[in-house]
Amino acid sequence: MPFPDEPSQVDIVEYRPQWPQEFEALAEVLRDALGGLALGVDHVGSTSVPDLPAKNCIDVQVRMRSVDAARDVPLLAAIGFRCRPEAWNRFEVSGGRRCHKLVFAPPPGARRCNVHLRDADGPNARFALLFRDYLRADDVARRAWGAFKQRLAMSVPGLVDYGQIKASATEVLMAAAERWAAQTGWSGPSGA
């Protein structure tokens, strides 16, 4: 569930050309707060894909040597970011592996975003970059994914239900992305 100051309904909007600049501003703040702990800061999710409709919420992936809640939560709390309390905030399964992660919401009133801290060598970090790069490269997949999300948001506007349905569809999308990666030689985070 979102924090009280965040919307609980999904609103998919057309791509906005200012999203990359808004990501860069967030990335600079995060790099300053995390210093050398951040091995890479990536614009991920739908707002990172030109011409893809999305929720107006910037997804940021911070690739860390290792995620450490005792260390990382206070560093981001010092600049107002709130660690999400939901159970899904601590781990996710990617590539058949259970991967540690932490997800943070912005300070109240700040630009909507989700900041995902992931181990740099984890399959979940690779997953986020493959999702982005595949949809940037494949016009047909990008248009189909955008249309799917728009229809889903109209039919199921509640954030939790929307997310659960989208997660299943994402598995299908990512199977195609893995085929694309094999065909093109896409190699993952090193090229981010």
Side-chain angles (χ1 to χ4, degrees):
M1 296 301 295
F3 284 107
D5 61 300
E6 297 178 303
S8 61
Q9 299 291 303
V10 175
D11 182 28
I12 301 295
V13 299
E14 292 300 320
Y15 178 80
R16 296 184 177 169
Q18 69 266 26
W19 286 339
Q21 291 79 24
E22 291 172 341
F23 159 75
E24 288 298 337
L26 284 166
E28 184 175 329
V29 168
L30 293 167
R31 285 185 197 101
D32 288 346
L34 295 169
L37 297 171
L39 301 180
V41 181
D42 311 305
H43 190 185
V44 296
S46 294
T47 61
S48 71
V49 180
D51 300 323
L52 180 63
K55 294 188 303 285
N56 188 17
C57 180
I58 304 292
D59 281 302
V60 179
Q61 171 173 267
V62 180
R63 289 180 280 126
M64 310 282 288
R65 190 171 323 283
S66 67
V67 174
D68 179 346
R71 176 196 66 209
D72 302 335
V73 171
L75 288 172
L76 289 182
I79 58 170
F81 282 80
R82 301 166 286 171
C83 189
R84 293 196 175 278
E86 300 92 342
W88 56 260
N89 179 44
R90 303 291 178 189
F91 77 92
E92 59 194 343
V93 176
S94 185
R97 272 182 42 202
R98 182 180 162 117
C99 305
H100 294 289
K101 73 169 183 173
L102 291 171
V103 182
F104 294 82
R111 203 283 174 234
R112 280 184 55 210
C113 66
N114 287 305
V115 176
H116 305 259
L117 270 55
R118 295 183 171 116
D119 291 345
D121 63 352
N124 52 344
R126 178 188 179 278
F127 180 101
L129 295 171
L130 176 57
F131 173 90
R132 177 195 72 191
D133 292 353
Y134 172 61
L135 288 176
R136 283 178 175 175
D138 190 305
D139 294 340
V140 173
R142 181 177 53 254
R143 283 193 302 274
W145 187 247
F148 163 73
K149 290 190 333 167
Q150 289 171 318
R151 287 190 308 274
L152 179 59
M154 286 189 289
S155 303
V156 185
L159 187 62
V160 173
D161 291 335
Y162 172 90
Q164 289 177 342
I165 293 168
K166 191 178 92 168
S168 296
T170 302
E171 290 179 28
V172 175
L173 175 76
M174 293 308 290
E178 289 292 354
R179 288 190 298 275
W180 171 81
Q183 292 167 353
T184 64
W186 183 89
S187 62
S190 62

